[in-house]
Amino acid sequence: MSFERLQRQIDILANPTVVGLDPTRELIPPHILENAESAAQAYFDFNVALITALFDIVPAVKPQAAYYEALGPAGMAALAETTKFARDMGMYVILDAKRGDIGSTATAYAEAYLGAESEYAVNAMTINGYLGSDGITPFLDAAVQNDKAVFTLVKTSNASSGELQDLVSGGRHVYDAVGDLIEWLGRDSLGANGYSRLGAVVGATYPEELKILRQRLAHTFFLVPGYGAQGGGAVDVAGAFDAKRHGAVINSSRAIIGAWKKTGNNGEDFTDAARAEALRMRDDLRTVLGL
Amino acid sequence: MSFERLQRQIDILANPTVVGLDPTRELIPPHILENAESAAQAYFDFNVALITALFDIVPAVKPQAAYYEALGPAGMAALAETTKFARDMGMYVILDAKRGDIGSTATAYAEAYLGAESEYAVNAMTINGYLGSDGITPFLDAAVQNDKAVFTLVKTSNASSGELQDLVSGGRHVYDAVGDLIEWLGRDSLGANGYSRLGAVVGATYPEELKILRQRLAHTFFLVPGYGAQGGGAVDVAGAFDAKRHGAVINSSRAIIGAWKKTGNNGEDFTDAARAEALRMRDDLRTVLGL
């Protein structure tokens, strides 16, 4: 019931938002950096303050693995602690890792982040499906076994996503083929709300494709990046939702966690600025979606 | 000169082999597991023994990130120590991470593993190009800046690789399109040997495609998985090499590091078994390639 739980938290807060926890030295206020003994500690302190400021209005967080990996093993420890803190605050945790491999290697990745003995507290993770079903089913199997979920990259939000994803073969885009594959692979893992454990990443920056994919992939929950800093607005993401206004969660990262950089202050107000931007986004989505 | 260095080490040893360091509890001999204080320590001890047994006959190692990540931050520390030990023994280190993202996130991954301040000692890493050039150039830029190299997945060795990679659009397979893209993106990073810093992963299990891709991608160094445990032989990989018998490195993982499981002994002889299998593979490649 992994996506059912996410949907329920979205419904309770009337807010289909996930906040990206993508810390960098530039986005962390000076006083946090100065008071921490290491960059990894600063990342964790920053995340704890953000989660504490947001957990009662935002249902989910999405730490981006790359920023933690860039700090080496200490960064991975900060990632683990961040996921546990978010879980303890009742948030749904999506690890943006975009992993992808086959066989026992894919199983090892799934164990790492979705396994019963994982050191991380993750409800769902993102994967890259370029290797085909061999690269997807090990993650799905782990998700089924441990009540987790998976989002596979389908149509990404970046400018060059079309170079490979928009190629057309037999009347289908490559991204359609990936979407069809995950809709098929997920068919035996449907929850009570009609969505399987295999979701899709579809960017807000391609609103027409988003709308068409929503029709095409009726059992696939969407994670939608590209709102805010990448240029998408609430109108652009409206097509990600089904007739009940369910089935999607919209990500914003820098626009929320770096909101303090636009207040003209020194960053001491970063949690207030993040909360204000999260509320603005929530209300924007509520208005457009009629929530 | 990252691939030039790899080629030189291959030439010196007359052995275009890279050994995959993919530790699992099943592949590590009982006495190593019993003597180690943790699984991460056992992985490192296993790797140190293998590297020590192989460095004078094999030019390169390829740790598979997933197995280390499965142990959490302690596993990442074992990965970091493994890469440093391999570097100190003079081996070329390819991190098999298959990362892929865009913009500042891709830059963070590149910093993590190819950066000047990386905690890992890596010469090259594997990436997944599904996001297009936005997802490749940050890694290439880091490689150019820090004398490293990158291998992008083109045609993978697994059974289902064709589901997406073999789709044909405008007369090209999707894997051709990825290959053409990296051949183009790499054009300004050619070394003296004619190969760019952007290599390709092409599986040994599709020998015809391998031969055609070698012709098509004249400046792209190949990393070829699928020899040994996955079923490919020296004849299958011959097509990966150029007319000078350069331009490719062939991976074997389980067949070498798990060779002790076929000797009928208790695993105390695991380094001897690994060395014997590495020599057998080397001689197999030498015979077929005429090295």
Side-chain angles (χ1 to χ4, degrees):
Chain A
M1 60 166 285
S2 185
F3 284 139
E4 290 167 81
R5 187 187 143 199
L6 174 58
Q7 187 65 62
R8 197 164 58 220
Q9 289 185 232
I10 288 171
D11 290 347
I12 290 168
L13 300 177
N15 185 13
T17 297
V18 53
V19 172
L21 296 177
D22 302 7
T24 60
R25 281 180 183 78
E26 292 69 41
L27 286 177
I28 299 179
H31 70 284
I32 300 266
L33 289 171
E34 283 158 20
N35 289 334
E37 287 183 10
S38 64
Q41 184 66 45
Y43 284 21
F44 179 65
D45 294 346
F46 183 58
N47 289 339
V48 165
L50 288 168
I51 291 166
T52 305
L54 297 171
F55 81 98
D56 61 328
I57 54 169
V58 172
V61 287
K62 180 174 75 65
Q64 171 53 260
Y67 298 104
Y68 304 88
E69 285 179 67
L71 300 182
M76 296 306 276
L79 173 62
E81 294 310 310
T82 295
T83 60
K84 288 172 192 163
F85 185 77
R87 173 196 61 194
D88 292 348
M89 296 296 274
M91 299 188 90
Y92 190 90
V93 179
I94 301 169
L95 180 66
D96 200 352
K98 298 188 178 66
R99 298 297 194 265
D101 215 301
I102 55 168
S104 59
T105 307
T107 300
Y109 277 131
E111 275 174 17
Y113 301 111
L114 306 178
E117 292 174 40
S118 172
E119 303 240 1
Y120 307 89
V122 166
N123 297 103
M125 72 183 286
T126 61
I127 66 169
N128 187 320
Y130 184 70
L131 294 97
S133 50
D134 294 340
I136 299 171
T137 46
F139 292 94
L140 175 61
D141 291 347
V144 168
Q145 198 170 347
N146 302 308
D147 194 18
K148 310 279 186 178
V150 175
F151 291 100
T152 303
L153 300 183
V154 170
K155 172 65 181 165
T156 58
S157 60
N158 56 304
S160 77
S161 73
E163 289 172 2
L164 303 168
Q165 297 165 26
D166 289 4
L167 295 177
V168 176
S169 178
R172 294 189 304 172
H173 299 97
V174 167
Y175 66 74
D176 292 322
V178 180
D180 292 350
L181 180 60
I182 63 176
E183 180 83 9
W184 168 251
L185 293 174
R187 70 193 182 283
D188 293 329
S189 68
L190 300 188
N193 63 353
Y195 287 100
S196 83
R197 288 184 186 275
L198 261 185
V201 176
V202 186
T205 46
Y206 299 100
E208 282 308 308
E209 290 85 341
L210 185 54
K211 208 179 298 178
I212 295 166
L213 284 166
R214 173 73 291 156
Q215 301 297 320
R216 188 179 186 111
L217 309 176
H219 307 95
T220 301
F221 204 97
F222 284 2
L223 168 61
V224 183
Y227 178 99
Q230 284 185 56
V235 174
D236 297 314
V237 304
F241 296 86
D242 65 21
K244 291 182 187 165
R245 303 307 194 190
H246 280 177
V249 65
I250 313 300
N251 180 72
S252 177
S253 303
R254 278 165 292 165
I256 292 176
I257 70 173
W260 64 273
K261 302 198 89 165
K262 295 187 175 170
T263 64
N265 296 323
N266 61 0
E268 301 261 1
D269 61 342
F270 77 104
T271 54
D272 292 341
R275 188 174 170 94
E277 170 59 20
L279 287 170
R280 191 206 60 74
M281 178 176 171
R282 179 194 72 179
D283 294 342
D284 185 28
L285 291 169
R286 280 184 180 177
T287 302
V288 170
L289 297 171
L291 297 179
Chain B
M1 60 167 285
S2 184
F3 283 140
E4 290 167 81
R5 187 187 143 199
L6 173 57
Q7 188 64 63
R8 198 164 58 220
Q9 288 184 234
I10 288 171
D11 290 347
I12 290 168
L13 300 177
N15 185 12
T17 296
V18 53
V19 172
L21 297 177
D22 302 6
T24 59
R25 282 181 181 76
E26 292 69 41
L27 286 177
I28 299 180
H31 69 283
I32 300 264
L33 289 172
E34 284 157 19
N35 291 332
E37 287 184 8
S38 64
Q41 183 67 45
Y43 283 20
F44 179 65
D45 294 345
F46 183 58
N47 289 340
V48 164
L50 287 168
I51 291 165
T52 304
L54 297 172
F55 80 98
D56 62 328
I57 54 169
V58 172
V61 287
K62 181 174 75 66
Q64 170 54 259
Y67 298 104
Y68 304 88
E69 285 178 68
L71 299 183
M76 296 306 276
L79 173 61
E81 295 309 311
T82 294
T83 61
K84 289 173 191 162
F85 185 76
R87 173 196 61 195
D88 293 347
M89 296 296 274
M91 300 188 89
Y92 189 91
V93 179
I94 302 169
L95 180 67
D96 200 351
K98 298 187 178 66
R99 298 299 193 264
D101 215 299
I102 54 167
S104 59
T105 307
T107 301
Y109 277 131
E111 275 175 17
Y113 302 110
L114 305 177
E117 292 174 39
S118 172
E119 302 240 2
Y120 307 88
V122 166
N123 297 103
M125 71 183 286
T126 60
I127 66 169
N128 186 321
Y130 184 69
L131 294 97
S133 50
D134 294 339
I136 300 172
T137 47
F139 292 95
L140 175 61
D141 290 346
V144 168
Q145 197 169 348
N146 302 308
D147 195 18
K148 310 280 185 176
V150 175
F151 291 99
T152 303
L153 300 184
V154 170
K155 173 65 181 165
T156 58
S157 60
N158 56 303
S160 77
S161 71
E163 290 171 359
L164 303 168
Q165 297 164 26
D166 289 4
L167 294 177
V168 177
S169 178
R172 295 189 304 173
H173 299 98
V174 167
Y175 66 74
D176 292 323
V178 180
D180 292 350
L181 179 61
I182 63 176
E183 180 83 10
W184 168 251
L185 293 174
R187 69 192 182 284
D188 293 329
S189 69
L190 299 188
N193 63 354
Y195 287 100
S196 84
R197 289 185 185 274
L198 262 185
V201 176
V202 186
T205 46
Y206 300 99
E208 282 308 309
E209 290 84 341
L210 185 54
K211 209 179 298 177
I212 294 167
L213 284 167
R214 173 72 291 154
Q215 302 295 321
R216 187 179 188 111
L217 309 176
H219 308 95
T220 302
F221 205 98
F222 284 1
L223 168 61
V224 183
Y227 178 98
Q230 285 186 56
V235 173
D236 297 313
V237 303
F241 296 86
D242 66 21
K244 290 182 186 165
R245 303 306 194 190
H246 281 176
V249 64
I250 313 300
N251 180 73
S252 176
S253 303
R254 278 164 293 166
I256 292 176
I257 70 174
W260 65 272
K261 301 198 91 165
K262 295 187 174 172
T263 65
N265 296 323
N266 61 359
E268 302 262 359
D269 60 342
F270 78 104
T271 53
D272 291 342
R275 189 175 170 93
E277 171 58 19
L279 288 169
R280 191 205 61 73
M281 177 176 171
R282 179 194 72 179
D283 294 342
D284 185 27
L285 290 169
R286 280 184 180 177
T287 302
V288 170
L289 297 172
L291 297 178

